[in-house]
Amino acid sequence: MKNLLLTMLFAAGLSLSVSAQVTNVKVTVTPLGDKLEGRHEVPFSSTTSDILVNENFEAMTKGTQDAPDVTSPLAPQEKGGPISPELTHGLQWYGYKVFQADGAIAMVQTLNPDQSLLNTPRMDYSGSVKLTFITRAIVSTWTDEAGNLVKDASAHLNVGLADEQGRKIETNQTTTNLASLQLYADMGWVEVTIEFDNYSAYNSVSVVFAAMNTVLLDDIKITSSIDEFIAVPSVTGVTDVTENSFTIHWKKMHKSFNYYIWLYTYDGKD
């Protein structure tokens, strides 16, 4: 009986395992030039979708978009941390080397070689997901070791998905990033639209923006279509196995309320 039970558990575990990969990634970049007066509203035409994130950073009034307020970091400079919810429309925004820039958020690389980071709130980004935001590079200036003033009018921005441990979620691209953008100050603002399907069991993640040099971000909006069926849960383990009972553990799916488990073996027995 015990050997049959273990065979059943092994089969059940294999049948419920899923890949942590998002697919059908599509990236569109549209030049906007100089930002218009007032807020730039990101157009959306979606009939059955949840609005997960809708952030325009309007509470970040310090500094200017050409000269962000680098005297008051939004999170500890040494290792990063949560951004005050008074400055955003949702909890759990996380940043590293991020600053206010008059209605936008500035990601500023300092002398240290590591990049600046901005994480959206960690939540369920599963289904057919659409992410839009506007961004621009501004001229970065710093003093090198010889005391010379250095300027760089270019910047690089990567966009990806990561779980609570910071592990990146794979895509079907040649890289783990959803998008990798090279920006230049004379481009002005550009609108970026990223669409992808995430029907894996890894649906408690953040969208991560990682920048080299100085990048402005604004009008971040994320929607998730509910037209498709959600993913199969991923089994994390089986414990307390006896001849007539056992316990199965799995990652919960945020949009599901009932779970069904089929146990079977390959030798024809019940």
Side-chain angles (χ1 to χ4, degrees):
M1 174 65 180
K2 184 175 290 186
N3 289 338
L4 173 61
L5 180 60
L6 291 177
T7 301
M8 292 162 60
L9 293 175
F10 181 68
L14 284 181
S15 67
L16 293 181
S17 296
V18 295
S19 171
Q21 185 182 83
V22 299
T23 58
N24 299 325
V25 180
K26 178 184 177 182
V27 180
T28 305
V29 179
T30 304
L32 298 176
D34 292 334
K35 193 176 181 183
L36 301 177
E37 291 294 327
R39 308 306 305 168
H40 170 73
E41 295 296 336
V42 180
F44 265 79
S45 57
S46 184
T47 55
T48 53
S49 63
D50 293 331
I51 297 177
L52 305 178
V53 173
N54 190 7
E55 183 57 66
N56 62 6
F57 302 112
E58 61 185 350
M60 298 190 180
T61 57
K62 295 181 179 180
T64 68
Q65 294 184 1
D66 291 323
D69 178 30
V70 295
T71 62
S72 303
L74 295 171
Q77 282 287 76
E78 297 76 18
K79 58 181 180 179
I83 296 172
S84 171
E86 295 180 355
L87 297 174
T88 59
H89 292 100
L91 302 176
Q92 296 183 337
W93 284 85
Y94 176 97
Y96 175 59
K97 296 184 178 179
V98 289
F99 305 86
Q100 298 187 50
D102 188 24
I105 196 167
M107 306 176 66
V108 181
Q109 182 188 6
T110 59
L111 287 178
N112 296 327
D114 52 341
Q115 56 198 352
S116 55
L117 298 171
L118 178 69
N119 290 21
T120 65
R122 185 163 57 87
M123 64 175 74
D124 180 4
Y125 296 109
S126 64
S128 293
V129 180
K130 184 176 183 180
L131 160 66
T132 69
F133 59 92
I134 61 173
T135 185
R136 71 173 300 175
I138 60 176
V139 178
S140 301
T141 60
W142 67 91
T143 303
D144 63 17
E145 295 180 352
N148 300 314
L149 183 65
V150 181
K151 294 185 178 182
D152 192 341
S154 66
H156 194 84
L157 179 66
N158 288 325
V159 185
L161 294 174
D163 64 12
E164 63 271 21
Q165 280 81 39
R167 294 174 298 193
K168 283 191 172 183
I169 307 304
E170 294 181 357
T171 75
N172 62 336
Q173 308 284 79
T174 56
T175 174
T176 57
N177 296 315
L178 293 169
S180 184
L181 307 169
Q182 186 66 42
L183 305 170
Y184 299 91
D186 59 4
M187 293 170 61
W189 288 93
V190 297
E191 179 183 79
V192 181
T193 300
I194 304 174
E195 299 171 89
F196 59 91
D197 292 336
N198 177 23
Y199 292 105
S200 72
Y202 290 78
N203 61 355
S204 185
V205 297
S206 294
V207 176
V208 181
F209 300 89
M212 300 292 289
N213 286 353
T214 303
V215 168
L216 300 182
L217 284 175
D218 204 355
D219 297 338
I220 299 174
K221 190 168 186 177
I222 305 174
T223 63
S224 174
S225 169
I226 56 176
D227 295 335
E228 302 280 346
F229 193 76
I230 59 178
V232 174
S234 177
V235 170
T236 59
V238 179
T239 60
D240 305 322
V241 178
T242 70
E243 290 191 355
N244 53 22
S245 68
F246 54 88
T247 301
I248 299 177
H249 307 266
W250 63 84
K251 288 181 177 291
K252 71 175 183 179
M253 306 300 294
H254 297 290
K255 296 178 181 178
S256 62
F257 52 91
N258 284 328
Y259 298 88
Y260 299 90
I261 298 173
W262 285 266
L263 299 179
Y264 58 90
T265 184
Y266 296 107
D267 61 7
K269 298 181 180 180
D270 292 335

